[in-house]
Amino acid sequence: MRYTWRWFGPDDPVSLSDIRQAGATEVVTALHHVPNGTVWTPAEIERRRAEVEAAGLAWRVVESIPVCDAIKTGAADWREKADIWAESARNLAASGIDTICYNFMPVLDWTRTELDHRLSDGASCLRFDNVQFAAFDLHILCREGAEADHDAPTRLSAREAFEAMDEAAIDRLTTTILAGLPGSEESFTLDGFRDRLAMYDGITPDRLRANLAAFLQRVLPQLEGTGAKLAIHPDDPPRALFGLPRIVSTVEDMRAIAAMQDEPHNGFTFCVGSYGVRADNLLVDMLREFGSRVHFLHLRATRRDADGLSFQEAAHLDGDADMAAIVDAVLEIERHRGVQLPFRPDHGHAMLSDLKAEFRAGYPAIGRLRGMAEIRGLETALSWARAQTEPAN
């Protein structure tokens, strides 16, 4: 595998020097300073690439070119927005950045209710608590129709949780959900969030799926011959939130997307943590089924609570996913395809000096270094075991 590390640009507290010392050879980044819906020019791309290469690293994967709501909702100007997106992708591919991770999640790119959940060993992690989420949805956002999306026990627990909150707790939960996490397109106020949700009134899963198909039909022909590979990221978490549709959550969703444009460049980011939140997602089987279409790997682990809806970020080898079986499947895919797939240690526990340092939520330095080291050890051991069973030439 190719060892990559997400970097949020010059303002990222984790520096390029830190990344190189951690053992990565590539960064995964984006032009976060360029306004959404604006073309990423060759000059801006080359400026960022030169900065990365001056630090002894490479940039070959972008995460992400934002897909704006106009495209997702099929607004009147969606074609113009899609053409801007495609031009940015062409410019990236011309500079050797040929793997393009993107998502099609409405409004919020990813959702957590806690950014600093303390663990028994003193480290901290990201967490999604379904009762806390329901308390926000029902009693802080006061979304119309929210009661229908939460069962009676959850509604009761959510009311009790809300009534126990003081103003600081309400503000903290609101900020966590709405202020925007790394990679998000933007942050919201409560009123702004309500307005954005209203844009999706009447957008069913079938409608959103049709809009994704139209987007791919529009942009993929414009990327023909460039070598660009699109890799859609799964929903995080992989289920409906705030009444919004989700269409990249299950193996059936992956099959539908693969059928939209039946060619390898219409592919996937296989995020173990996102898909793994659902117990019905058979991760190794999914990875093998779409092995020819997987262009980027997020290897992280999550652990589900007993309710099946709440979860937290686990250590990379200590979650619900069988990471050894997943890495072994990746090695087989690489052997079959004759390529090395880029992976990054996604998220990570904040630990040791992380706890006293500044970092983007979910992206501590030491926690990710630990995850990368664990995956490297796992890959090395599995590769050695494979070599022992292969016949000698």
Side-chain angles (χ1 to χ4, degrees), residues 176 231 256 333:
T176 298
I333 290 167

Side-chain angles (χ1 to χ4, degrees), residues 21-80:
Q21 291 175 50
T25 57
E26 302 178 30
V27 298
V28 174
T29 191
L31 302 185
H32 297 287
H33 63 287
V34 176
N36 293 341
T38 303
V39 171
W40 293 10
T41 65
E44 286 292 335
I45 292 167
E46 283 300 310
R47 186 176 297 113
R48 176 57 51 82
R49 188 167 73 94
E51 183 177 15
V52 169
E53 291 180 350
L57 297 159
W59 179 25
R60 296 175 58 189
V61 181
V62 63
E63 185 177 356
S64 306
I65 312 174
V67 179
C68 65
D69 285 309
I71 295 171
K72 295 171 186 174
T73 60
D77 61 345
W78 80 265
R79 294 173 182 83
E80 175 188 341

Side-chain angles (χ1 to χ4, degrees), residues 357-381:
E358 183 183 357
F359 59 88
R360 300 291 183 97
Y363 291 90
I366 304 301
R368 284 186 288 166
L369 184 152
R370 174 189 172 182
M372 175 172 281
E374 289 177 339
I375 298 297
R376 189 189 301 277
L378 189 55
E379 181 189 21
T380 300

Side-chain angles (χ1 to χ4, degrees), residues 38-43 45-46 49 59 62 65 79-100 215 217-230:
T38 303
V39 171
W40 293 10
T41 65
I45 292 167
E46 283 300 310
R49 188 167 73 94
W59 179 25
V62 63
I65 312 174
R79 294 173 182 83
E80 175 188 341
K81 302 294 187 183
D83 291 344
I84 290 171
W85 196 96
E87 185 175 352
S88 295
R90 287 198 308 274
N91 291 341
L92 285 162
S95 289
I97 303 140
D98 58 6
T99 302
I100 301 170
F215 170 70
Q217 187 176 22
R218 182 84 179 182
V219 303
L220 281 173
Q222 298 185 54
L223 302 179
E224 188 172 350
T226 66
K229 302 180 289 289
L230 302 193

